[in-house]
Amino acid sequence: AKALAFVSNFAQQLGVVFFAAPETEQLRINLKDCIGRKGKSLRDDQRATLFHILLHTFAQNIVAALSFCLWSGAFLTASTFIQRIDPLDVSLMLYLEVDQMISLLERPIFRHLHLRLLECEDDPYHEGSGAMLFRTLKSILMLLPQSTSYMILKERLLSTARYRQSAVALNGLSKRLDSGSSTDVFVKRIADVRQLHCDAKWRAIRAESLEDPAREVGEDQKLTCAQKRREWLGYADEEEELA
């Protein structure tokens, strides 16, 4: 768990370098909207491949991954992953890092996202659609406790909400992803990495628990590790946890 915490902090610092360092300017240019505005040329395919490779590193930290997805135009990926965030990943550190991300999103470097919120595409489920960007930011807002960052993001979304309501109809936002699609691959990449972190956190929680690990139960009543984890998190069954 300590090793993964170090990796998470390292990924968070890589995110800072990616967005702030002059040495990464060309990399930022190459990756900007590489998924949201992906074309059919060989160069577009290479940019998308680079995004997929780097996503594995940034996925070690939730906020770094979300920021990276927003920069690359992978709004559907970000929105879908937010719905799947594990409760073990929600912590005070996550809130502090989200605060920093909100401040970053308000900077001029992300001005293209501010304008994208007003765009109304024929396909609202496209990776780089304004509808998916709005949904992603709205989901982030719902995760935040009421704070300064909450109010900043809320005001940003309120300034576009009425326009979007009159311009587009967002029906069926729970539409399932096509298995094997690029978005499905991206989301699984982040989810698999985050599962490593959550498993480590769960082992640390069990190690510090006062519960007797040798608790007597019948052979037909033995709880699996996954069942114990669901009990601790408050889920009734596997179906409720995955909902």
Side-chain angles (χ1 to χ4, degrees):
K2 290 183 178 179
L4 287 175
F6 170 79
V7 173
S8 178
N9 290 334
F10 187 77
Q12 194 264 344
Q13 291 304 315
L14 283 180
V16 174
V17 172
F18 176 77
F19 288 111
E23 292 81 4
T24 59
E25 180 180 4
Q26 190 57 49
L27 181 60
R28 289 197 298 271
I29 293 174
N30 289 335
L31 289 172
K32 185 177 180 180
D33 276 337
C34 66
I35 302 300
R37 296 295 171 88
K38 183 179 180 297
K40 298 182 179 179
S41 68
L42 175 60
R43 183 171 183 275
D44 288 324
D45 290 339
Q46 292 173 337
R47 294 168 67 206
T49 300
L50 177 60
F51 167 82
H52 192 193
I53 293 171
L54 292 178
L55 184 62
H56 184 75
T57 298
F58 283 106
Q60 304 291 339
N61 180 277
I62 291 180
V63 174
L66 290 177
S67 301
F68 186 57
C69 286
L70 289 174
W71 180 259
S72 304
F75 308 140
L76 179 56
T77 296
S79 176
T80 303
F81 171 68
I82 289 175
Q83 312 303 319
R84 304 182 185 180
I85 287 180
D86 194 293
L88 289 174
D89 260 336
V90 179
S91 63
L92 176 60
M93 183 57 65
L94 174 65
Y95 290 138
L96 294 176
E97 291 178 357
V98 171
D99 277 352
Q100 295 174 356
M101 182 179 71
I102 300 303
S103 298
L104 177 66
L105 293 178
E106 287 298 312
R107 295 180 183 177
I109 191 175
F110 274 99
R111 60 185 177 276
H112 63 289
L113 293 189
H114 304 161
L115 298 175
R116 187 75 58 82
L117 283 168
L118 299 177
E119 295 183 7
C120 303
E121 299 82 358
D122 294 333
D123 181 10
Y125 305 105
H126 178 62
E127 269 283 9
S129 73
M132 281 301 140
L133 173 58
F134 187 86
R135 182 188 180 192
T136 300
L137 296 179
K138 190 72 172 180
S139 298
I140 293 174
L141 182 69
M142 292 299 99
L143 288 177
L144 284 171
Q146 295 200 19
S147 60
T148 301
S149 295
Y150 175 92
M151 296 307 298
I152 291 174
L153 185 55
K154 178 183 176 182
E155 289 301 316
R156 171 70 65 183
L157 294 176
L158 282 177
S159 66
T160 58
R162 290 187 178 180
Y163 171 79
R164 295 203 60 83
Q165 288 174 356
S166 63
V168 296
L170 296 178
N171 296 318
L173 282 181
S174 60
K175 177 182 178 182
R176 294 187 177 277
L177 297 176
D178 294 329
S179 179
S181 66
S182 59
T183 298
D184 187 44
V185 172
F186 296 153
V187 172
K188 285 182 178 177
R189 170 60 65 96
I190 301 175
D192 288 345
V193 173
R194 296 313 310 167
Q195 189 61 49
L196 293 175
H197 288 255
C198 290
D199 288 345
K201 290 176 183 178
W202 176 241
R203 288 194 295 271
I205 291 172
R206 292 291 298 135
E208 297 173 359
S209 174
L210 296 178
E211 178 185 349
D212 181 5
R215 181 179 55 168
E216 292 291 333
V217 294
E219 285 297 324
D220 58 341
Q221 297 178 334
K222 286 186 177 180
L223 298 175
T224 65
C225 181
Q227 288 173 320
K228 290 180 179 179
R229 179 178 180 279
R230 282 194 291 272
E231 281 187 350
W232 188 82
L233 292 173
Y235 293 118
D237 50 39
E238 183 178 4
E239 182 178 354
E240 181 178 328
E241 180 180 16
L242 297 176

